[in-house]
Structure formats: C-alpha cells, structure tokens
Amino acid sequence: MRAGGAGWPAGLLLAVVAWLLLVGPRASRAANVTVRQEPGVGHEGESDGEMDEDTDNDTEVPENEPSTEAEAPEEVQNRTIVKEVEFGMCTVTCGVGIREVILTNGCPGGESKCIVRVEECRGPVDCGWGKPVSESLESVRLSCVHISPENRFRYMWKLLKADQQPVILANDSAVLEVQRELHPMAFECDTLDNNEIIASVKFTVYTTNELQMRRTTRPDTDAVLVFVLTIGVIICIFVIFVLIFIIINWAAVKSFWGAKASSTEIHSEMSSMRYKDSTSLDQSPTDVAAREEDALSEWNE
C-alpha cells in the first residue's frame, strides 16, 4: 500500500507536469496574442485619431477655401482695375510733355474717375517755329521745350545762318535772352535726354524796326472775330427760340395765317370790284348814247 501510495503521487506529478507542458505554451501564445492585439488596438485608436484629425483637417480645408476664393476676386478686381486705366491728352503736340493717368473703376469715395498719377509723354521731335516767352524793343527771351524739373535735361542753343553750319552757343540753360541786332537772327534749341534729342524748336528774332512795323500793320482780327462770333451766336439763339415757339403754338399760328390769307383775298376782290366800277363810271354819256343807237339800228334791221 505504501509502495502503491508512493507511486501514485509520482504519476500524479508526471500528469501535472505533462499538463503544464501542454497548457503553458497555449497560455503563452494566448498572452502573446493578446499582447500583440493590444498594440493593434492602439494603432487602431491612433488610426482612428488620425482619421479624426484627417476629417477635422478635411472639415477645416473648406473653411480655408472660401478665403482663397475670396482673395481670388480681389486679385481679379485688381487686374481689372489695371486694365480700366485711360490716359489723358498730352500737354504738347511735339517734344516732351505730361499727361494724366485716370482710373475709371475702383476710385475712392465712389467717384467715377480719379487721377492715379501724372507721367511723361512725348511727341514728334521737330516743333517747328516757336514764339518767344517775352519780348520788347530791345531784347527777347526764348525758351526751350522742357518739363519740370529743368535740370533733368540738357540744352543746346544754336545760331542759324544761311548756307552755313550752325554756331553752337555757350549758353546751356533752358532760357536764352537775346539783344536785337541790325539784322534778323534765327536760333534753334535742342532738348537732350541721355544724349538723345527729344525736342527741337526754332525762333526768329526781328529787328526793332521790323517789330514796330509788324505791330502797326498787324490787323486787329481778334476783336472783329469775337464780335462776329457773338452776333452769330445771338442770331442762332433767336432763330431757335422762334422755331420752338412756332412748334409749340402751331395751331394758333396756322389760324392766324389762315385769317390773314382770307383777309387778303377779300381785299383783292373788293379792289377788283372797285376797279370795274371806276371803269364804268369813266365812260362818257356820248359813248353810252352811241351804243344805244347802234343797238336800235340793229334791232330795226
């Protein structure tokens, strides 16, 4: 009984060991599986979090998109404003001048047009013959073609002579004062910008006697022209008012002219009747008696 009892616990021990050997790896595998799944759960959580963040980002993107869409029309509007710019007339027809750059859309204060800036404009170089700035019987002041500031350009004055090369003068300013001589003189001024001629103008300086003669013989056409234009404008305005009055009161005018025409016809008829009466009265009694005798003789025959 003791040997058998001693053997039983040994067999039971072996069975327990075998069971542990069989169940232990399974438990460890299950533990490993659970351990391995926990990171998976974490990853899934992270992936869910990332998906939530992505969805949040996706939901935030449309919030940013309207801003870009709102900025796009502003850029387009700016471009249209640039395209809707017009230029004013140049202050000169030759040489160098200035003109206004006018904005026709997007002006402050709701204005339809506003001046953006003033820029330089250029025309043909040759300006022909110019007029002096001021002149007297002793001297004359001539000016080159330029815009402000004067020191931006370089000026070259020349004395022109017939069939000869022009003489370059020492004066390099924009204004030249010349004393009148015994003979008329011609001057030319070239305006240079970066050694390029952008304007050229000529002047004639007459003598004192020629200037006095031109002043006395020059017809005073300005006053006559102003008077003729004033009279013409007054006549045109009067004719326009008369036409407007006739159009407005056409019925009254028509009846007036009809009555006047009928009265003239009546007067003409009365005058013709008076003429006939006067002719019948002018006949003598002898003529009447002769006519009666002729009528009686014809009746007897």
Side-chain angles (χ1 to χ4, degrees):
M1 293 295 292
R2 290 181 182 178
W8 174 255
L12 182 60
L13 183 62
L14 290 172
V16 171
V17 171
W19 182 78
L20 290 174
L21 291 174
L22 293 173
V23 176
R26 292 180 181 178
S28 62
R29 288 178 183 177
N32 292 329
V33 169
T34 55
V35 172
R36 288 176 183 176
Q37 288 178 353
E38 288 176 358
V41 174
H43 286 296
E44 288 178 359
E46 292 178 358
S47 63
D48 294 334
E50 290 175 359
M51 290 176 67
D52 294 334
E53 291 178 358
D54 293 334
T55 55
D56 293 335
N57 293 328
D58 293 334
T59 56
E60 292 177 358
V61 167
E63 294 178 356
N64 294 328
E65 286 178 0
S67 63
T68 56
E69 291 178 356
E71 292 176 359
E74 293 179 356
E75 295 177 358
V76 173
Q77 186 178 2
N78 293 330
R79 292 177 183 175
T80 55
I81 290 172
V82 172
K83 291 180 181 179
E84 294 182 1
V85 168
E86 64 181 20
F87 300 95
M89 295 294 294
C90 191
T91 55
V92 294
T93 57
C94 64
V96 59
I98 57 174
R99 64 181 179 183
E100 296 177 347
V101 181
I102 303 170
L103 185 65
T104 58
N105 188 12
C107 295
E111 297 180 357
S112 60
K113 290 186 179 181
C114 55
I115 299 173
V116 179
R117 64 180 183 277
V118 177
E119 66 179 13
E120 179 183 311
C121 59
R122 295 186 182 182
V125 175
D126 190 5
C127 293
W129 295 89
K131 295 182 179 180
V133 177
S134 62
E135 57 182 352
S136 63
L137 295 176
E138 292 79 17
S139 63
V140 60
R141 288 170 60 86
L142 311 175
S143 176
C144 296
V145 177
H146 66 278
I147 58 174
S148 183
E150 295 182 4
N151 57 3
R152 174 186 169 186
F153 306 101
R154 190 167 64 88
Y155 309 99
M156 182 183 298
W157 287 95
K158 301 176 185 178
L159 175 61
L160 304 179
K161 295 184 178 181
D163 301 330
Q164 295 182 9
Q165 292 292 330
V167 178
I168 299 176
L169 304 179
N171 189 359
D172 59 353
S173 61
V175 179
L176 177 66
E177 186 172 359
V178 181
Q179 299 295 325
R180 299 186 186 275
E181 301 291 340
L182 298 176
H183 301 282
M185 297 179 294
F187 295 88
E188 180 180 3
C189 180
D190 295 335
T191 304
L192 294 90
D193 185 13
N194 295 326
N195 296 326
E196 178 185 359
I197 298 176
I198 60 174
S200 179
V201 61
K202 302 180 182 67
F203 300 96
T204 300
V205 179
Y206 297 98
T207 62
T208 303
N209 295 329
E210 288 177 344
L211 182 62
Q212 289 178 348
M213 188 178 297
R214 288 172 64 87
R215 287 181 177 179
T216 54
T217 58
R218 183 175 59 188
D220 193 7
T221 58
D222 294 337
V224 176
L225 182 61
V226 170
F227 177 76
V228 172
L229 290 175
T230 304
I231 296 298
V233 169
I234 292 172
I235 293 172
C236 290
I237 293 172
F238 177 76
V239 171
I240 291 170
F241 275 106
V242 170
L243 292 175
I244 292 172
F245 177 79
I246 291 173
I247 291 170
I248 293 173
N249 303 292
W250 174 245
V253 172
K254 189 176 180 180
S255 62
F256 174 77
W257 283 108
K260 189 175 182 181
S262 62
S263 63
T264 54
E265 289 178 357
I266 292 169
H267 286 300
S268 63
E269 290 178 357
M270 292 178 66
S271 62
S272 63
M273 291 175 67
R274 288 175 182 175
Y275 177 75
K276 289 179 181 179
D277 294 337
S278 63
T279 54
S280 62
L281 291 172
D282 290 338
Q283 293 179 357
S284 60
T286 57
D287 294 335
V288 174
R291 287 182 180 179
E292 289 179 353
E293 290 177 355
D294 293 336
L296 289 172
S297 63
E298 289 178 358
W299 175 258
N300 293 324
E301 292 178 355

